[in-house]
Amino acid sequence: MGTFLGYRCSICGSEYGPDEVTYTCSQDSGNLDVVLDIQQVRNSNSVQEIEASRESSIWRYLPLLPIPDPGYEGTTLCAVGWTPLFTPRNLQKALGLPNLWLKDDGRNPTASFKDRASAVVVARAQQIGAEVAITASTGNAGAALAGMAAAAGLPAVILAPRTAPAAKVAQLLIFGARVLLVDGSYDEAFDLSLEAAQAFGWYCRNTGYNPFTAEGKKTAAFEICEQFTDAVGARNGRSWQVPDAVFVSVGDGNIISGLHKGFKDLHDLGWIDRMPRIFGVQSTGSAAIYNAFVAGNEDIVPVRADTLADSISVNLPRDGLRALRAATQTGGAYVAVEDDEILAAMRDLARKAGVFAEPAGATAYAGLVQAQETGLIDPENRILVLNTGNGLKDVRAAMQAAGEARIIEPSLAAMRDALAEQAER
Ligand SMILES: *Cc1c(COP(=O)(O)O)cnc(C)c1O
Ligand SMILES: [Zn+2]
């Protein structure tokens, strides 16, 4: 801390001091990038010092975050991030990609990547003395805010579409948030949450609106570089290694923007010597950013979202511009996959890598499969696929991917018959 200079608008470039603005650009409502004093971070920190940290959470990167030490050491909030990065051997073989890596962010306290953002937003809320935090959510951002806020003792209000998967709603309720299910789309819940935050004076966490979410999400890029360097066993002097390509699923576009910011921070610091290519994967049923990428312009035109991957089902991506640039500025690309490809990806990740992903989490992997088929990537590339959410959050989708279990009489004869029948199929 002490390195937070303020904000820069991603559209017009206007700059603001840390306390001059709370959410977006006052000129054009553009999303704001947090600006850090990179020089100062570089002068007072090093990759060696961070590698020596014993903090197994996002807080090991506190010197690169725009918030003071929230003093969470030893509490449950510590458990956010530092998720495993590993080589799925069987999946590598099946795909013919010998340098494939997975990072499983389903293993966060509330079982999705969103915990990274919510932990940092809650710390910011406490810093500015907010009394209540509110967010609109398809489910995971809300669960993450509810969980992080509960641990910090901050009241939370969550607006989610009434169609949110039951497990996600259960998470909201068990963490004690005030939960309101909106009879409408995520986009409508989003607009309502802005109105409510304004009317009641609450602090709004919304994705692609609050500048601190991307700061939390960028910690995944830091982990990718630090863990990847450890895994391939070669630090290059004072810098970390990067994969050649990173695949991530995209709805509002805040995760991919946060990752991009994280890699840029490290590059500006000289802690990595090149950027990875970043690949955004959308559902064909919710592909506004993909459409702009294909059209070759920066006009994000809203769609009517319809996909079983509820966490990336978005009409108007709230962080579309930065999300698009994450791919275009790194030589990456956008890929769109059908719901059937997402269900197949859920089976592959589970059956060949032991990773149970929710549909939106498996979407990144479905995108890699397609990118390999279409020659977007070199099979020798070092590729990292990020799973963003745990499959237990959406059991109905998992059953859709995996089918029903057979019921038998409790006898060996019945079991033999059933097994024989299954073997025939
Ligand atoms: C929110 C979410 C995403 C997409 O993140 P955006 O910032 O909306 O692009 C992907 N996967 C899961 C599991 C999510 O919860
Ligand atoms: Zn602006």
Side-chain angles (χ1 to χ4, degrees):
M1 186 48 190
T3 57
F4 177 28
L5 297 180
Y7 311 90
R8 186 180 302 114
C9 174
S10 60
I11 296 179
C12 69
S14 292
E15 300 200 349
Y16 300 90
D19 302 316
E20 255 182 287
V21 65
T22 309
Y23 303 114
T24 56
C25 178
S26 44
Q27 314 282 321
D28 52 20
S29 303
N31 282 307
L32 299 177
D33 289 317
V34 165
V35 181
L36 298 177
D37 187 344
I38 290 291
Q39 189 77 40
Q40 195 201 309
V41 175
R42 192 188 297 120
N43 288 345
S44 39
N45 300 275
S46 66
V47 292
Q48 288 91 336
E49 277 171 284
I50 290 183
E51 283 167 10
S53 169
R54 297 177 63 186
E55 184 61 60
S56 300
S57 78
I58 60 171
W59 303 118
R60 69 194 279 115
Y61 304 107
L62 194 59
L64 286 81
L65 294 173
I67 44 169
D69 186 348
Y72 290 149
E73 229 159 318
T75 79
T76 51
L77 290 187
C78 265
V80 175
W82 204 243
T83 56
L85 179 102
F86 52 95
T87 46
R89 298 275 175 226
N90 284 333
L91 202 56
Q92 288 176 333
K93 277 194 209 121
L95 271 182
L97 296 175
N99 299 306
L100 173 66
W101 302 76
L102 292 180
K103 184 170 177 66
D104 185 8
D105 252 58
R107 302 197 209 181
N108 269 304
T110 78
S112 90
F113 189 99
K114 298 292 197 298
D115 284 339
R116 296 179 184 275
S118 291
V120 169
V121 168
V122 165
R124 174 66 175 172
Q126 292 186 307
Q127 184 194 1
I128 63 174
E131 281 168 9
V132 176
I134 182 172
T135 196
S137 169
T138 59
N140 288 341
L145 179 62
M148 299 302 112
L154 178 75
V157 179
I158 315 294
L159 297 176
R162 65 177 291 185
T163 52
K168 296 185 182 181
V169 178
Q171 280 189 299
L172 300 176
L173 294 166
I174 201 70
F175 288 128
R178 269 179 283 167
V179 182
L180 297 169
L181 297 184
V182 176
D183 191 5
S185 65
Y186 165 61
D187 295 77
E188 286 168 304
F190 193 103
D191 292 337
L192 178 57
S193 67
L194 300 190
E195 252 184 275
Q198 174 88 38
F200 305 130
W202 295 339
Y203 188 53
C204 184
R205 176 220 177 274
N206 279 15
T207 296
Y209 180 68
N210 187 313
F212 287 83
T213 59
E215 291 298 298
K217 288 170 177 180
K218 77 180 184 183
T219 58
F222 301 162
E223 289 175 23
I224 287 170
C225 295
E226 184 177 354
Q227 294 173 328
F228 188 73
T229 301
D230 192 40
V232 299
R235 175 138 58 71
N236 180 7
R238 283 180 300 134
S239 63
W240 283 330
Q241 305 271 319
V242 286
D244 298 306
V246 174
F247 281 76
V248 59
S249 62
V250 175
D252 271 320
N254 193 243
I255 292 182
I256 195 171
S257 300
L259 285 171
H260 189 206
K261 173 71 156 46
F263 290 121
K264 279 192 291 192
D265 280 357
L266 295 182
H267 196 252
D268 290 347
L269 282 164
W271 292 1
I272 58 176
D273 55 14
R274 67 191 175 97
M275 296 286 286
R277 298 170 75 196
I278 302 178
F279 291 82
V281 187
Q282 294 207 283
S283 158
T284 51
S286 173
I289 306 173
Y290 166 82
N291 293 342
F293 179 84
V294 170
N297 59 44
E298 291 194 329
D299 298 332
I300 314 282
V301 182
V303 296
R304 267 182 148 271
D306 182 19
T307 168
L308 95 148
D310 65 292
S311 301
I312 51 171
S313 184
V314 168
N315 296 342
L316 172 65
R318 305 289 171 156
D319 211 348
L321 183 60
R322 291 193 299 189
L324 181 64
R325 290 176 180 169
T328 56
Q329 292 182 354
T330 62
Y334 266 81
V335 174
V337 295
E338 303 283 342
D339 280 359
D340 279 349
E341 296 173 83
I342 295 173
L343 292 172
M346 287 173 69
R347 286 190 294 269
D348 276 358
L349 281 174
R351 294 172 185 184
K352 298 185 179 125
V355 172
F356 185 13
E358 69 164 270
T363 298
Y365 176 75
L368 167 66
V369 171
Q370 200 191 93
Q372 195 199 10
E373 281 165 10
T374 57
L376 268 179
I377 46 148
D378 179 331
E380 292 302 315
N381 278 171
R382 290 166 159 179
I383 297 161
L384 183 125
V385 173
L386 188 62
N387 171 35
T388 42
N390 189 289
L392 288 174
K393 280 172 167 283
D394 187 356
V395 169
R396 256 183 53 188
M399 300 301 277
Q400 209 175 321
E404 298 288 325
R406 170 88 190 253
I407 296 167
I408 58 163
E409 296 295 323
S411 77
L412 195 56
M415 191 171 160
R416 278 212 177 90
D417 286 350
L419 290 175
E421 224 175 90
Q422 277 178 347
E424 271 167 37
R425 272 199 269 127

